[in-house]
Amino acid sequence: MRFLLLLLIILSLPVLAQESIVFGVHSKTAPLEWRKNGVDQGFNVELMNRIGQLTNKRIIVRRKSFQQLVKDVHNPNSDIDVIAVVSPVNLDRKLSQSDPIYATHARAYTLQGKALINNWADLVGKRVAIKIGAFVDVYLSGYPQNFERVDVDLYETGFQQLISNQVDVVIAESFVARRLLPLYPSVRSSSDALIYGDFNFVGNVKKTLLMYKINEALRQLKLSGEYDKLVNKWFGIGREKVDLTSNEQRMLSVAMLVALVCAVGMVYTGFISASLRRHTKALDAELIQRRRIEAEIFELSKQFQSVLDGIPNGVTIVNQDLQHLWSNDNNIHLLDSDEFYYVDNDVFKLKGAVLDVLSTQKSFTADMRYQQQCWQLQIHPIAADQVVILLEESTEQHHLRQANEEASRLASLGELSAGIAHEINNPTGLIVHAVALFTSAMKDLTPAARHYQKQNPFWLIAGLNPDIAIEELQYSCGSIEEGAKRISRIVNDLKRYAMPHIANEYTQVCLNDVVQVALRLTASQTKFHQITPTLCEPSPKIEGDAQQLHQVLINLIQNACHACSEQSGSIVIETHVEGDKAILSITDNGCGMDSATLTRITEPFFTTRRNEGGSGLGLSVCSKIIKEHQGEMQMLSSVGKGTRIRLTFALESQD
């Protein structure tokens, strides 16, 4: 027993006496080493074991957290001699470190579908996960950070937070990320290398000599080619170790499958191509047909547009906001003119008319006036918010209609008036003759009545005192005579209205003289009103009958006086020349006329002054006289705003 114990002690002395190197290893997914089935393995572990053999030192592997390893390597009294870390290429460490073992880099990782990170500027404002103490952390400590930094203990923690949307980007070392990506398929590499670094062995502050020996052993391995064998074993031409044989078999199977799929695809593609060629030919034929039809439609549209543009009437399509959707631009300016109004002088508002048509969905037709023209306006609904507006000048039709109506009335009234004049003239003459006899008799009987009254003081005539009775009889005779004369004048006006005039008796007449004569003859009526004659010089001259023109203007002045109040009545009489026309107009600020009155004002026997003794023949006779002079009478009037009558005659050449 003692011998065996002594033998064991002797055999164990070299082992106990052999120096060791304590190699600190990261306990979770270290870059170049890991534990599989409880056994430490990996590039760094195998490399460190080979260095131990060359330096005749035993390698002891101790697993700790990365943060603890960093603290231990800075602690002179720690039990860790060497660790493997990554250092940025542009950063010098104060600790002893070996020659570079392997180059690496760090890049940005994001979720699939997110934008790529092209440079550090793309990280501004984002939440970026950084592993505490990693070479990315060391690198960023010397640079300003324009992003929101989120510290994590492991790169895997950063990937988990990325998936749960706690961070936007993870900056991770490539070897670690490459191991993690298969575990997190929703994460992808989103940038080129942002930081470059090297793997190094870093020694404790008291292990400078040990680091020298490690470097010597590392260089010896590189020179002998054994280092390259280790790299090829664990990384395989710069990547993680792969089984090339099985990989080749898999690739061959995949290639055969791809070839089969390609063959099937070529057959299918040929079938599809033939089908597409047939469809293409059919589509080309259809396209040619459509182009031909479009050309015909375009030509027809041009012809239709030419027809619409050639229509003298205005055609416009507008919506409820009065936007012009289409127009042939003929007379469309009238719709926005202040001088475009209804024939009864009411104001026209296009907006209100369009909205009424759209709300009722019923067509609207109205007779309108613009300056001296007559127009017919039609608005028809064509959609829920669109109408078509038609404008047609109807001046000639309006005049023809008026002339036809007036001709019809004249035809009936002419025949009627001739019979009335004949029937009334005879009894009227008898009345005048009898009244003249009664008047003369009353003069002769007056002295006899007075003499008889003296003899018979109680004598009465028709129940009245003889003097009073005789006075009443004389007044009644005067009234009867005045009424008979008035009947005679009406009959003469009626005969003049019905009787044609001989135009060859006309002479040259100065309109200014007609105005002056008419004003003198109506001085007793116009003295209560403000009369303003505006006569142009030289005086316009026309061909006509001065006496008849005097009658026309006198009648118009009397009507204006009747329409105006005595306190504020104003009458303007004006003569002027427009081209080859002589114009005589009379304007008052009287009571005016409504549209119904204005329509009938020249009808025989129509009067608004029946209670004041008006016969209704004045304006009828005036209208007939003006037409006999080849003239035109236009009347504009509004209730409460006055009346303007414009007489137009052909202008005679000036001497």
Side-chain angles (χ1 to χ4, degrees):
M1 274 305 282
R2 293 181 179 177
F3 174 76
L4 290 175
L5 181 59
L6 180 61
L7 180 60
L8 290 173
I9 293 173
I10 293 171
L11 291 175
S12 63
L13 284 176
V15 179
L16 294 175
Q18 185 182 12
E19 295 184 6
S20 63
I21 301 175
V22 180
F23 178 46
V25 175
H26 184 199
S27 60
K28 294 182 180 179
T29 60
L32 301 177
E33 70 275 343
W34 60 91
R35 175 174 289 183
K36 185 176 182 180
N37 298 326
V39 179
D40 292 318
Q41 55 182 332
F43 175 77
N44 284 337
V45 174
E46 189 165 345
L47 179 62
M48 200 65 199
N49 286 334
R50 191 69 185 92
I51 290 173
Q53 294 174 3
L54 293 176
T55 57
N56 196 26
K57 295 183 182 293
R58 184 165 60 95
I59 301 301
I60 301 174
V61 177
R62 291 186 179 167
R63 288 188 170 273
K64 296 185 179 182
S65 66
F66 179 79
Q67 289 79 6
Q68 187 60 48
L69 290 176
V70 173
K71 291 180 181 179
D72 287 346
V73 82
H74 284 83
N75 183 5
N77 299 319
S78 75
D79 57 349
I80 299 299
D81 296 322
V82 179
I83 63 173
V85 295
V86 183
S87 300
V89 294
N90 60 344
L91 184 64
D92 294 331
R93 287 189 178 272
K94 297 179 180 180
L95 300 177
S96 299
Q97 59 185 15
S98 68
D99 293 340
I101 300 173
Y102 204 78
T104 186
H105 62 270
R107 62 175 64 187
Y109 294 86
T110 65
L111 292 176
Q112 297 281 358
K114 297 297 183 180
L116 295 176
I117 305 298
N118 297 313
N119 48 52
W120 290 99
D122 291 340
L123 297 175
V124 174
K126 290 184 169 55
R127 299 168 296 174
V128 181
I130 304 296
K131 179 180 176 182
I132 301 174
F135 91 108
V136 178
D137 184 16
V138 175
Y139 175 84
L140 292 176
S141 63
Y143 292 89
Q145 301 172 15
N146 296 323
F147 52 81
E148 180 183 346
R149 173 173 171 155
V150 179
D151 291 334
V152 296
D153 58 343
L154 298 172
Y155 290 127
E156 186 171 12
T157 304
F159 277 35
Q160 293 171 353
Q161 291 187 2
L162 183 63
I163 293 174
S164 61
N165 199 29
Q166 298 181 40
V167 296
D168 302 310
V169 182
V170 177
I171 299 180
E173 189 272 325
S174 61
F175 281 107
V176 181
R178 197 159 56 186
R179 289 189 173 279
L180 293 174
L181 286 177
L183 303 176
Y184 300 95
S186 61
V187 179
R188 71 163 182 176
S189 173
S190 299
S191 74
D192 294 330
L194 298 176
I195 309 172
Y196 291 94
D198 291 325
F199 277 103
N200 299 86
F201 291 133
V202 178
N204 194 294
V205 291
K206 291 184 177 182
K207 304 299 181 179
T208 303
L209 180 59
L210 174 61
M211 189 56 63
Y212 173 77
K213 292 180 180 181
I214 291 174
N215 273 335
E216 287 295 326
L218 186 58
R219 290 165 192 163
Q220 184 177 348
L221 291 172
K222 289 182 178 181
L223 290 174
S224 65
E226 191 173 351
Y227 173 83
D228 294 332
K229 292 180 181 180
L230 286 175
V231 171
N232 187 55
K233 174 182 177 182
W234 290 101
F235 303 133
I237 59 172
R239 301 182 180 273
E240 292 190 18
K241 179 183 177 182
V242 296
D243 186 348
L244 296 180
T245 302
S246 60
N247 201 32
E248 288 177 357
Q249 293 177 350
R250 288 195 299 271
M251 291 299 295
L252 179 60
S253 301
V254 171
M256 293 178 65
L257 179 61
V258 170
L260 179 61
V261 171
C262 288
V264 174
M266 290 178 63
V267 174
Y268 182 71
T269 301
F271 173 76
I272 294 297
S273 298
S275 178
L276 286 177
R277 283 193 294 271
R278 291 194 301 271
H279 284 292
T280 301
K281 290 181 180 179
L283 289 174
D284 289 341
E286 183 179 354
L287 182 60
I288 294 173
Q289 180 73 5
R290 287 190 177 186
R291 287 177 177 172
R292 183 180 64 79
I293 295 174
E294 287 177 357
E296 294 176 357
I297 293 175
F298 179 73
E299 186 64 26
L300 183 61
S301 177
K302 287 176 58 178
Q303 295 174 358
F304 183 67
Q305 185 66 41
S306 299
V307 171
L308 289 176
D309 292 340
I311 295 176
N313 302 332
V315 181
T316 302
I317 297 177
V318 302
N319 59 16
Q320 58 186 1
D321 297 323
L322 300 188
Q323 293 178 333
H324 289 199
L325 306 180
W326 182 89
S327 173
N328 63 357
D329 294 329
N330 290 336
N331 306 310
I332 203 62
H333 64 280
L334 298 182
L335 297 174
D336 300 321
S337 175
D338 294 335
E339 299 182 56
F340 192 63
Y341 49 85
Y342 294 104
V343 291
D344 58 359
N345 298 319
D346 286 347
V347 177
F348 171 71
K349 295 296 183 181
L350 178 61
K351 180 75 172 180
V354 169
L355 293 179
D356 288 343
V357 169
L358 289 175
S359 62
T360 61
Q361 287 295 301
K362 294 182 179 179
S363 299
F364 169 79
T365 302
D367 292 326
M368 313 296 292
R369 282 191 179 274
Y370 176 74
Q371 296 180 354
Q372 307 304 321
Q373 298 173 328
C374 295
W375 293 82
Q376 185 181 69
L377 171 69
Q378 299 181 43
I379 305 178
H380 303 282
I382 58 175
D385 61 345
Q386 295 179 11
V387 299
V388 59
I389 302 175
L390 306 178
L391 272 176
E392 180 181 3
E393 185 181 0
S394 58
T395 304
E396 184 176 355
Q397 294 91 324
H398 181 73
H399 290 170
L400 289 175
R401 185 168 60 251
Q402 285 184 327
N404 183 55
E405 293 174 355
E406 188 168 354
S408 299
R409 290 194 299 269
L410 289 176
S412 59
L413 288 175
E415 186 176 341
L416 177 64
S417 61
I420 293 176
H422 177 74
E423 294 297 331
I424 293 178
N425 265 341
N426 290 333
T428 303
L430 293 175
I431 292 173
V432 172
H433 179 73
V435 167
L437 177 63
F438 291 160
T439 302
S440 299
M442 289 301 301
K443 291 181 180 179
D444 295 338
L445 291 174
T446 298
R450 289 175 179 171
H451 178 74
Y452 183 75
Q453 184 182 15
K454 290 179 180 179
Q455 296 181 8
N456 187 5
F458 301 102
W459 179 52
L460 299 177
I461 301 176
L464 297 176
N465 185 280
D467 292 337
I468 298 175
I470 291 173
E471 185 177 351
E472 287 293 329
L473 287 173
Q474 291 176 344
Y475 178 78
S476 297
C477 288
S479 297
I480 293 172
E481 183 178 11
E482 178 63 27
K485 290 180 179 180
R486 183 167 179 272
I487 292 173
S488 179
R489 285 196 302 271
I490 292 175
V491 170
N492 290 333
D493 286 342
L494 191 60
K495 289 172 66 178
R496 181 184 293 277
Y497 178 79
M499 181 179 60
H501 184 75
I502 306 301
N504 56 12
E505 298 178 359
Y506 289 165
T507 60
Q508 194 174 69
V509 179
C510 293
L511 286 185
N512 289 0
D513 293 343
V514 172
V515 173
Q516 297 294 349
V517 171
L519 288 176
R520 285 197 300 271
L521 294 177
T522 57
S524 60
Q525 294 174 285
T526 59
K527 64 183 178 180
F528 301 106
H529 306 284
Q530 179 181 351
I531 307 298
T532 305
T534 305
L535 309 179
C536 74
E537 295 294 343
S539 172
K541 295 180 180 180
I542 66 172
E543 192 76 15
D545 186 325
Q547 184 177 0
Q548 289 184 334
L549 294 175
H550 294 158
Q551 179 182 353
V552 169
L553 189 55
I554 289 172
N555 193 291
L556 296 180
I557 293 174
Q558 290 175 339
N559 287 347
C561 292
H562 293 151
C564 295
S565 61
E566 294 185 0
Q567 292 78 9
S568 58
S570 174
I571 302 173
V572 178
I573 303 175
E574 179 183 7
T575 61
H576 66 279
V577 176
E578 292 182 3
D580 60 347
K581 300 294 183 181
I583 309 300
L584 171 61
S585 64
I586 177 168
T587 305
D588 66 68
N589 64 346
C591 59
M593 295 176 282
D594 57 24
S595 58
T597 303
L598 195 62
T599 303
R600 301 186 57 194
I601 195 64
T602 58
E603 291 182 4
F605 306 110
F606 177 81
T607 178
T608 59
R609 301 181 57 255
R610 186 75 64 188
N611 295 333
E612 288 82 8
S615 65
L617 288 173
L619 283 178
S620 300
V621 174
C622 291
S623 176
K624 182 173 183 297
I625 293 173
I626 292 169
K627 288 182 179 180
E628 290 172 352
H629 283 73
Q630 305 300 314
E632 181 181 359
M633 179 168 66
Q634 295 175 332
M635 289 184 287
L636 300 176
S637 183
S638 296
V639 176
K641 296 182 179 180
T643 303
R644 182 172 185 260
I645 299 179
R646 173 187 168 105
L647 308 180
T648 304
F649 303 96
L651 182 67
E652 285 292 304
S653 60
Q654 303 292 326
D655 295 334

